[in-house]
Structures are given as structure tokens and as C-alpha cells.
Amino acid sequence: MNESLREPVGAIGLALSGGGVRAAAFHAGVLRYLAEQGLLEKVVHVSSVSGGSLFVGLVFQHGNYRWPASETYLREVFPHIRQTLTTQSLQCSAILRLVLNPLNWCFILSRANVLAQAIRGLWGVKVPLSALDGAPVWSINCTTGETGRRYRFKSGTMGDYELGYANVDDFSLARAMAISAAFPGGIGPLTLKTMKFHWKKRKQWNATEPESYQPPYNHLHLYDGGLYDNLGIEPMFDVGQQSLKKDKTLPSDITYLLVSDGGAPLARQAIPHPLNPFRFKRIADIALDQCRALRVRAFVNFLQSNYASGAYVGIGMAAESSIKRFAKGREALAAKLLTYTWLPADDARRAATYSTTLGKLSEGTFDLLERNGYETAKWNIEMMSQTPNSATSHLRGELQQ
């Protein structure tokens, strides 16, 4: 472990944002840094959305459905992920399956079903949720169209707190990943028949045991988790209480939450004409960006007084200028970090502008995105770990981004 990480790192929670293959490559770099520090073994909970869920699915798939040790990630899993994302296109595979297979034409409005087929056929994710090793716990986050709540797959169950929860050990992992990435318009929802599952729900919040329950909807329309929380932070962080959540399903409480945000910033552009349907998309993008910004600010505000309890690692941040900006009070560490050769600022900013797709990345684009994730994790975590005063100045800078 790097000597600058002076505070002992306990149980780690990872929140991996959405953002298509851009986010997946960025997260790959963040995990490469953690693996070099020998920290993957301390991860007890992973929460993911959309592109983050696709990435974690690849991590498990290339690790024989076990969370990899740090050395295994560096030696085996990371190279396989790079090869997968630079040689295969989920987007093209799903489109071809939809167009060329008449049996899939019924999914024209719910294309997440076809995306699940592509994840199984192209990526080889053919196991049920029960095949996942129990540690760390993985929350695959989606959004329920009927309730507007966070719908999640976790520890062999699925549901949201309004609907109740059902056991789904035999549910396809590929389908869960596809639902998490089912963005409206581009992919569309995956529809589930509620009668096929046995649901339970606590009638009162303080009830000890859930009771059998049938949701009031015959069908559920499940969308991309980014509609509700594109950071994937809610399972581990209480925005209202400004604190890390406790979870009885975990072997130990999370003491360090790392949020890896590979989501693209809102583009600055002229709003489309009132009769242009993309005008409504622009308005929706503004609303989603503000929801994300509020969660980021809440988490960063928490870190101001709990500097050793986590880190926010955002795509597009230039390392060298950030280190200089936050060097006051930790000049020796900043001087050491500045001896590294970092991505040029223009390249770091360019990483955040890559489009949100499920297409194939070029090797150069993957390397840029992955390196930005690695470098942002490195300077951010190492500088924040030094002193409370330095962490506070750093986080104030984050709030101004």
C-alpha cells in the first residue's frame, strides 16, 4: 500500500456510476489503482448503475463469478476487460438480434430483453444470480416505472421498498445487468410479470418479519438505475442524515465509501426548437444532472468533516492542476505527486466528453478513459488521506467544479 495512505482502510464500499462503456473503462482504471494498493480484498459492498453494472458483471464473469483478489484483477481480469470492451460491441449485437430475428420483434419497445441476449451471447454471462460468490454483496440498481423507486437486485432478492421483495436466485444475471442499463428511449424497459414471483413485504417499518404480499401491478416496467440515482450511492449513503448507512446483510459496516463517477457532465448547447422532440430530452437531461449534482454535493459535504471516510472520484479532472490547487498544507506530498507524468489537462477533460454508448471502444479511447480513472483515484485518495485540513480544502474545490 502507498505510504501516503496513512489512515487505516477498513471495510470498503464501491459506488460505480452509469455512463455506458465510457464509465466502464473509467471504473476499470479506478479498480486498477485500488488493486495496486491491495485494497480489493477489503471491498464488502458494490453498488452499481447502468455502465457500472455492465462493468461489475464483466469483473465477475472474468473472475469465474468470484470477486477477484487484487493480484488476480491486475494479472487476469483487467486485461480481459480491456480486450472485451475494445473488440466487442453490445450495441451492435443487440441491434442485429432485434432486426434479424423475427422472434425479437415483439421487444421493439422493450429492448432491454434483446440487450440481455447480447450480454449472454456476446459476453458469455450465462449464469443466474445465485452463481455469484457471496462476498462482496452486489446491489444492481434499476428504477421501477410504476413507483419511481430504486429497484434493486441484491443477495438473491429483487424489489423496492414500496413493492416488497421477491426471491430470485434463478433470475438471469444478464437480465439484471440489462435492466440496470435500460435507458428510456435508447433501450427501453424490461417488463416483468409480478405473478411469476412470490413477494413479501413488511406491513410496518418496525415489523420483524415480512408477510406475503401481491403488488398492485400485473406488470413492472424496469428502467436504467440512473433515472433514480446515477451514482449508485443510495444503498450506502444517507443523503438526508449525511452519514454512511449500516447494512445488516454485510459482514461488517462500511467505513470507507469510494464513489467512482464516470457520468458525462451536462453539455452546454442551444436548446432545440419547441417542436423538436429532442427538446424534451434536453429538459430531462437538465433535471437528471441536477439530481446527480445534489447527491454529489451531499457526499462531498459529508467528506469535509469525515475526510478519512471516503472519496469522490469524478471523470474529466486534470491531475496536475488539481494537485497544485489543493497543495496548501501538504506541500511535500504534492511535490512528490507532481514528479509523475500525468495525462495532459486537455486529454483528461476529453475523457468526460466521450459519448454514452454501449459500442466498441478503440484501444486508444479505452486507455485514455482507464488512465483518467486510475490517475484521478490516485491523486484524489492519496492527497485526501493526509490531514483533515488538506481534505477540507480539497473538498471545497470539488464543490466548485
Side-chain angles (χ1 to χ4, degrees):
M1 182 181 296
N2 192 297
E3 63 180 10
S4 66
L5 300 179
R6 298 176 184 176
E7 295 291 336
V9 178
I12 296 175
L14 293 179
L16 305 180
S17 79
V21 292
R22 177 193 62 248
F26 182 80
H27 299 326
V30 173
L31 260 67
R32 182 165 70 88
Y33 174 77
L34 294 179
E36 286 187 357
Q37 307 309 311
L39 294 175
L40 292 188
E41 290 81 355
K42 294 192 174 186
V43 176
V44 297
H45 192 177
V46 180
S47 172
S48 62
V49 178
S50 194
S53 296
L54 297 177
F55 167 71
V56 178
L58 279 179
V59 170
F60 274 108
Q61 196 267 344
H62 290 309
N64 197 26
Y65 299 103
R66 300 178 66 88
W67 184 252
S70 295
E71 183 180 349
T72 303
Y73 179 83
L74 294 171
R75 185 182 67 251
E76 300 176 11
V77 176
F78 176 80
H80 285 152
I81 289 176
R82 183 180 187 274
Q83 181 181 31
T84 298
L85 294 181
T86 58
T87 60
Q88 299 175 358
S89 171
L90 276 182
Q91 190 164 292
C92 288
S93 178
I95 291 173
L96 289 175
R97 291 168 192 272
L98 178 64
V99 173
L100 300 180
N101 186 349
L103 296 178
N104 284 333
W105 293 352
C106 62
F107 298 134
I108 187 66
L109 297 179
S110 55
R111 294 177 293 280
N113 293 279
V114 185
L115 177 59
Q117 293 177 22
I119 293 171
R120 284 194 297 267
L122 190 65
W123 283 5
V125 180
K126 300 178 181 180
V127 301
L129 290 170
S130 59
L132 296 174
D133 183 71
V137 171
W138 180 16
S139 293
I140 306 174
N141 298 298
C142 319
T143 304
T144 314
E146 283 68 23
T147 65
R149 304 302 183 188
R150 179 179 68 91
Y151 192 98
R152 55 80 169 154
F153 294 86
K154 176 187 175 187
S155 301
T157 64
M158 70 173 186
D160 70 39
Y161 71 83
E162 281 195 22
L163 291 171
Y165 298 93
N167 290 324
V168 285
D169 279 337
D170 59 348
F171 196 91
S172 163
L173 173 58
R175 293 186 78 197
M177 292 164 60
I179 294 170
S180 186
F183 195 80
I187 298 176
L190 191 146
T191 304
L192 293 182
K193 294 181 179 180
T194 58
M195 294 294 293
K196 289 187 175 182
F197 304 95
H198 181 211
W199 299 82
K200 290 187 176 182
K201 181 181 179 180
R202 288 184 173 88
K203 289 188 175 181
Q204 302 291 335
W205 283 108
N206 58 355
T208 56
E209 293 294 333
E211 301 178 14
S212 293
Y213 171 81
Q214 184 57 38
Y217 311 101
N218 293 327
H219 296 84
L220 297 178
H221 297 81
L222 304 178
Y223 289 91
D224 189 312
L227 290 179
Y228 184 87
D229 168 20
N230 198 47
L231 294 178
I233 197 174
E234 181 167 291
M236 294 178 281
F237 181 70
D238 189 318
V239 173
Q241 296 294 325
Q242 297 276 297
S243 63
L244 299 179
K245 289 183 177 180
K246 297 184 182 297
D247 188 336
K248 295 180 180 179
T249 67
L250 302 179
S252 59
D253 289 332
I254 291 170
T255 59
Y256 190 94
L257 174 56
L258 189 151
V259 178
S260 178
D261 184 4
L266 182 70
R268 272 50 177 178
Q269 63 184 56
I271 191 168
H273 187 274
L275 298 181
N276 188 330
F278 283 97
R279 186 183 183 94
F280 297 100
K281 179 182 181 301
R282 176 64 178 176
I283 293 172
D285 287 344
I286 293 171
L288 290 173
D289 184 71
Q290 287 304 302
C291 290
R292 169 190 161 277
L294 290 173
R295 292 182 187 273
V296 170
R297 290 169 185 167
F299 183 59
V300 169
N301 185 63
F302 161 76
L303 292 179
Q304 287 190 24
S305 55
N306 300 274
Y307 76 99
S309 295
Y312 170 74
V313 180
I315 195 171
M317 299 186 72
E320 187 171 339
S321 60
S322 297
I323 293 168
K324 292 177 180 178
R325 183 180 181 184
F326 307 131
K328 186 176 181 180
R330 47 200 167 175
E331 287 80 2
L333 176 57
K336 180 180 178 181
L337 288 172
L338 287 172
T339 63
Y340 292 92
T341 301
W342 303 96
L343 270 177
D346 288 344
D347 286 345
R349 286 189 288 268
R350 184 161 56 89
T353 65
Y354 186 83
S355 57
T356 303
T357 75
L358 299 182
K360 179 177 67 175
L361 293 170
S362 69
E363 291 184 353
T365 299
F366 176 90
D367 292 341
L368 171 66
L369 294 167
E370 183 275 334
R371 183 177 173 186
N372 185 229
Y374 176 92
E375 291 188 355
T376 306
K378 178 179 175 62
W379 72 257
N380 192 312
I381 294 172
E382 292 182 15
M383 292 197 76
M384 285 177 63
S385 68
Q386 190 176 50
T387 65
N389 289 335
S390 65
T392 300
S393 64
H394 166 77
L395 292 165
R396 285 176 182 155
E398 288 282 6
L399 283 171
Q400 297 169 6
Q401 294 295 318

